[in-house]
Amino acid sequence: MSNFNRRDFLKISGGLAVGATVVGCATNLGGAAKARVVVVGGGVGGATAAKYLRMMDPAIHVTLIEPNKHYHTCFMSNEVLSGDRSIKDIEFGYAGLAGHGVNIVHDTVTGIDAEKRMVKTADGDSFMYDRCIVSPGISFTWGAIEGYDAKVAEKIPHAWKAGPQTVTLRKQLEAMRNGGTVVIAAPTNPFRCPPGPYERASLIAKYLKTHKPKSKIIILDPKDKFAKKGLFTQGWKRLYGYGTDNSLIEWVGGAAGGKVESVEANNMVINSQVESIKADVMNVIPPQKAGKIAFSAGLVNKKGWCPVDVATFESHIHKGVHVLGDASIATKMPKSGYSANIQAKACASAIVAMLNEKEPGVPSYQNTCYSIVGENYGISVGMIYKYSKAKNLVTPIKGSGGVTPKDASMETLKREAHYAHGWFDNITHDIFG
Amino acid sequence: MVSKKTILTPLLAAGALLASSSVFAAGPTAETLAGTCSACHGYQGNSVGIMPSIAGSTAEYFTDTMKAFKSGERKATVMGRVAKGYSDEDIGKMAGYFSQQKPVGMKQSFDRTDAALGKKLHDEYCEKCHEDGGRNNEEGPVLSGQSKLYLTYSMEDFKMSHREGPKKMSKKVKSMVEKHGKGGVDAVLNYYASQQ
Ligand SMILES: Cc1cc2nc3c(=O)[nH]c(=O)nc-3n(C[C@H](O)[C@H](O)[C@H](O)COP(=O)(O)OP(=O)(O)OC[C@H]3O[C@@H](n4cnc5c(N)ncnc54)[C@H](O)[C@@H]3O)c2cc1C
């Protein structure tokens, strides 16, 4: 705590006052805290890490910096598109974390000085840290699709960060005529939530089937395969006539020219390699890279993702800074909320050990991703992983995991849909409760 | 509730005794392993969704259940795939962890009239093994405060032989259904759901 200065002291005591009005939380800052951790980003990874740090060692002072007062989970945001949920059902605040004694600051981090161990924000504040955790999620590679940028995305949403764009897309679907065409442009690998675009197509189809059955969804995809493809297409055949002339869903893969080259926002035309489609509603999901702050803080490699030690999630580039969630490279874990939640626990546990001058323990990782295909119809993919020190990899444990069997009964698929909702209830409570 | 301190202290103490190389040999700690379950089974094993709470399972029941999932003896949606990723040693550690957590009843809706009838039926048909209104875990899982939908699935699984139950249980359920109809089972489940 050598570089603890007066300004920090004011920050911490200020934070305490705020925390105290929320729940009279037991932050033990009467004396000096043992150490300070600053968490950048209050999404899945950041919020889980902040909470678990406080649970594991209440002597650590944790500040979480996040611009938004509310977080909207991407998971189950596709059910907002189908009308099964409202945006309020996927909205979470930070009072739970404050109750664990996390100091919440609503601001945007603009820079991380790894040498001075200092985080700077848009409001002009700076925060000193002993360890910093960065979980900023993704940003988009604008310009990869001609005519599609951040401004156009307000009218033609990507909705790949849940929130206002999810609501816009839902409204557009509601306003669409029966017989309209919805085009979903799926991204190239790697991207956040590999089954996400296909769950989205499924849930939009679920809505159209009952409300606008003459309509059609076309998925334009630069890839030839996608996560749980066999299970999705099986479900689409059963529920939406996939493969027939009247199918609600059509999928155009890379080999068939599915790569999108440009968007004409004014005419609502989307141009793939082989065809131009006039759409009523467009959902363009651009290629992705680590969140912007990872770039300004110099935490990324050439490909735009953050290389880390996958046991502690400490950056390979800047010591003392840990990157987790979608922004990090945690091969072979997919970029999912479940992964971010588990990585946050491994990272928090390693940081607690380090700050207590102990060796970090051995991590254990898991991922289970549910997708809703239709009414009472859910599928999943899961894997248990172990840490491979020699390769710095999170490696799948042989024989574990895998996808829902293709011959699963309708009863099993119904239960999977219910368990998907149960998972949502439990993980959001684990993160924000 | 078992405080965090009681869990952390022995683990940290154990950690301190180990030389750095054996930290690795010892594998993930019980708390680390348990942390991989909470996204589905709730923070510290207390579910707020339809998955069952595993807090307060006896170590024996937890271990038997995981092994039944692993071998396929008990049918499941995802747990068969999940259980195969954990060694017997891992399972032993998790079992120890969850047996120390205090179960907290899930907040859920239930039918009051059914729950009242359910209490009577429970006392008559179930209490002998699932003592204390289903709170006792010695003869099986904690039933009180579990998700009603999950318990409904469990009863279906017993009926379909997707899950092995004690013979005396199927006998009891059968005679209850003969006397009170299928509504009897539902009433009992409402009673467990009412314990929050
Ligand atoms: C449609 C869809 C469906 C999905 N479904 C599932 C699912 O079913 N299961 C599953 O496991 N995963 C799912 N996911 C993936 C999951 O949402 C992400 O993997 C997860 O959110 C990643 O967590 P994160 O912490 O990396 O990023 P995020 O959760 O995006 O959090 C990043 C946070 O950082 C903040 N931030 C960014 N920059 C700054 C800055 N400079 N300063 C301060 N704060 C900043 C942001 O405001 C945000 O709150 C889905 C994703 C999508 C798009």
Side-chain angles (χ1 to χ4, degrees):
Chain A
M1 306 276 285
S2 49
N3 47 7
F4 189 85
N5 58 30
R6 195 169 157 268
R7 188 181 163 85
D8 278 285
F9 179 72
L10 289 175
K11 276 250 138 57
I12 290 177
S13 28
L16 222 201
V18 172
T21 52
V22 180
V23 227
C25 52
T27 344
N28 64 342
L29 288 171
K34 184 191 281 172
R36 294 153 302 166
V37 177
V38 172
V39 182
V40 181
V44 178
T48 308
K51 171 175 166 179
Y52 273 77
L53 276 170
R54 294 282 310 155
M55 300 298 299
M56 289 170 176
D57 188 349
I60 297 174
H61 184 259
V62 180
T63 297
L64 179 124
I65 309 176
E66 159 65 46
N68 302 313
K69 294 257 157 68
H70 293 102
Y71 177 79
H72 292 98
T73 60
C74 286
F75 21 97
M76 295 303 160
S77 68
N78 287 331
E79 284 202 339
V80 176
L81 301 180
S82 61
D84 292 304
R85 267 174 211 261
S86 85
I87 192 79
K88 283 274 168 209
D89 297 330
I90 58 166
E91 184 177 285
F92 297 87
Y94 293 94
L97 290 181
H100 288 287
V102 177
N103 176 35
I104 311 284
V105 174
H106 290 297
D107 202 345
T108 301
V109 172
T110 48
I112 302 168
D113 187 330
E115 217 141 88
K116 290 197 189 129
R117 298 193 169 237
M118 187 170 76
V119 163
K120 290 203 154 145
T121 68
D123 285 355
D125 287 329
S126 43
F127 296 80
M128 304 298 291
Y129 64 77
D130 296 290
R131 294 264 157 197
C132 178
I133 298 177
V134 186
S135 191
I138 51 156
S139 62
F140 300 102
T141 309
W142 304 116
I145 297 168
E146 199 192 314
Y148 194 70
D149 59 24
K151 185 135 195 298
V152 175
E154 279 168 29
K155 186 180 158 217
I156 299 174
H158 51 72
W160 218 241
K161 293 183 182 183
Q165 289 201 7
T166 314
V167 176
T168 303
L169 188 53
R170 169 64 189 162
K171 283 193 183 139
Q172 291 175 350
L173 291 167
E174 278 178 302
M176 190 180 82
R177 69 194 162 96
N178 185 6
T181 302
V182 180
V183 177
I184 298 175
T188 41
N189 289 325
F191 64 100
R192 151 180 288 184
C193 194
Y198 315 97
E199 182 195 60
R200 176 167 289 177
S202 310
L203 283 168
I204 294 177
K206 175 176 183 277
Y207 166 71
L208 296 178
K209 187 177 172 176
T210 36
H211 294 92
K212 288 152 195 179
K214 289 187 197 146
S215 311
K216 191 180 187 101
I217 301 160
I218 302 171
I219 308 168
L220 295 175
D221 205 329
K223 309 179 291 296
D224 288 320
K225 328 184 264 206
F226 56 85
K228 297 183 256 192
K229 187 175 174 212
L231 289 168
F232 272 113
T233 49
Q234 182 184 47
W236 294 345
K237 277 181 194 153
R238 284 175 178 164
L239 304 172
Y240 309 121
Y242 187 70
T244 68
D245 287 346
N246 294 324
S247 178
L248 270 168
I249 298 176
E250 194 185 314
W251 175 75
V252 186
K259 185 173 186 296
V260 170
E261 302 202 308
S262 65
V263 167
E264 298 166 39
N266 292 336
N267 315 324
M268 285 297 282
V269 168
I270 186 162
N271 302 305
S272 75
Q273 279 173 324
V274 295
E275 60 185 327
S276 294
I277 303 169
K278 173 112 180 102
D280 293 87
V281 174
M282 267 195 246
N283 171 219
V284 179
I285 309 164
Q288 293 153 38
K289 55 191 180 186
K292 197 169 153 222
I293 184 64
F295 284 82
S296 15
L299 291 162
V300 296
N301 67 9
K302 276 195 198 122
K303 289 185 173 156
W305 302 99
C306 306
V308 293
D309 176 314
V310 293
T312 62
F313 291 88
E314 185 161 7
S315 164
H316 276 165
I317 301 172
H318 290 306
K319 287 266 156 286
V321 182
H322 301 245
V323 188
L324 45 93
D326 291 349
S328 71
I329 306 168
T331 329
K332 303 173 170 168
M333 290 186 97
K335 297 190 185 301
S336 76
Y338 202 126
S339 297
N341 172 262
I342 291 287
Q343 291 164 7
K345 290 172 194 173
C347 175
S349 158
I351 288 180
V352 167
M354 288 167 167
L355 293 175
N356 285 288
E357 279 156 27
K358 295 207 168 75
E359 183 162 345
V362 186
S364 172
Y365 324 78
Q366 196 194 135
N367 176 59
T368 302
C369 278
Y370 288 99
S371 301
I372 311 276
V373 185
E375 188 75 37
N376 285 327
Y377 198 120
I379 55 176
S380 60
V381 58
M383 189 53 72
I384 317 301
Y385 305 86
K386 64 174 191 288
Y387 172 52
S388 162
K389 194 173 184 177
K391 295 187 201 140
N392 185 42
L393 275 181
V394 185
T395 49
I397 292 179
K398 274 210 182 86
S400 78
V403 296
T404 306
K406 262 204 128 172
D407 59 359
S409 66
M410 291 314 281
E411 172 66 22
T412 297
L413 299 171
K414 179 185 90 185
R415 288 190 190 182
E416 289 228 29
H418 291 166
Y419 285 136
H421 296 145
W423 170 82
F424 174 83
D425 295 338
N426 276 318
I427 195 168
T428 53
H429 187 247
D430 195 40
I431 302 166
F432 295 105
Chain B
M1 189 191 286
V2 180
S3 77
K4 248 180 321 52
K5 213 162 168 198
T6 31
I7 304 155
L8 272 179
T9 319
L11 293 176
L12 287 181
L17 287 175
L18 293 164
S20 55
S21 60
S22 50
V23 168
F24 256 85
T29 63
E31 203 184 26
T32 296
L33 288 162
T36 65
C37 310
S38 52
C40 292
H41 290 281
Y43 180 62
Q44 294 176 337
N46 274 305
S47 178
V48 295
I50 82 146
M51 278 80 160
S53 286
I54 49 181
S57 295
T58 59
E60 192 191 359
Y61 179 76
F62 183 94
T63 306
D64 287 353
T65 305
M66 286 294 275
K67 287 187 175 162
F69 281 136
K70 222 170 154 174
S71 69
E73 185 194 309
R74 178 168 166 187
K75 292 228 167 55
T77 50
V78 303
M79 275 311 294
R81 291 177 259 155
V82 169
K84 288 193 185 84
Y86 296 101
S87 68
D88 290 353
E89 199 192 333
D90 293 338
I91 291 172
K93 288 182 193 170
M94 291 190 249
Y97 175 89
F98 288 113
S99 70
Q100 287 179 54
Q101 308 305 314
K102 188 173 175 263
V104 179
M106 181 186 157
K107 298 263 171 296
Q108 58 187 314
S109 59
F110 61 92
D111 185 297
R112 275 182 199 285
T113 323
D114 265 9
L117 169 67
K119 181 174 172 12
K120 280 192 202 130
L121 297 178
H122 167 88
D123 288 346
E124 192 178 339
Y125 295 96
C126 320
E127 174 68 21
K128 216 169 153 203
C129 296
H130 299 286
E131 290 173 29
D132 299 338
R135 280 184 205 90
N136 192 301
N137 58 5
E138 260 151 54
E139 291 276 336
V142 178
L143 298 179
S144 63
Q146 289 286 9
S147 130
K148 200 172 75 193
L149 186 56
Y150 171 72
L151 291 177
T152 307
Y153 287 165
S154 296
M155 293 307 283
E156 282 168 13
D157 286 346
F158 283 125
K159 205 167 121 196
M160 307 283 288
S161 301
H162 287 166
R163 176 175 174 183
E164 202 187 337
K167 282 219 173 63
K168 54 185 174 182
M169 179 172 159
S170 53
K171 266 196 193 153
K172 287 279 184 187
V173 174
K174 212 173 146 215
S175 63
M176 180 171 81
V177 171
E178 269 163 17
K179 228 171 143 186
H180 303 273
K182 275 205 195 114
V185 175
D186 204 48
V188 172
L189 302 191
N190 269 288
Y191 167 56
Y192 298 141
S194 73
Q195 301 178 44
Q196 301 183 8

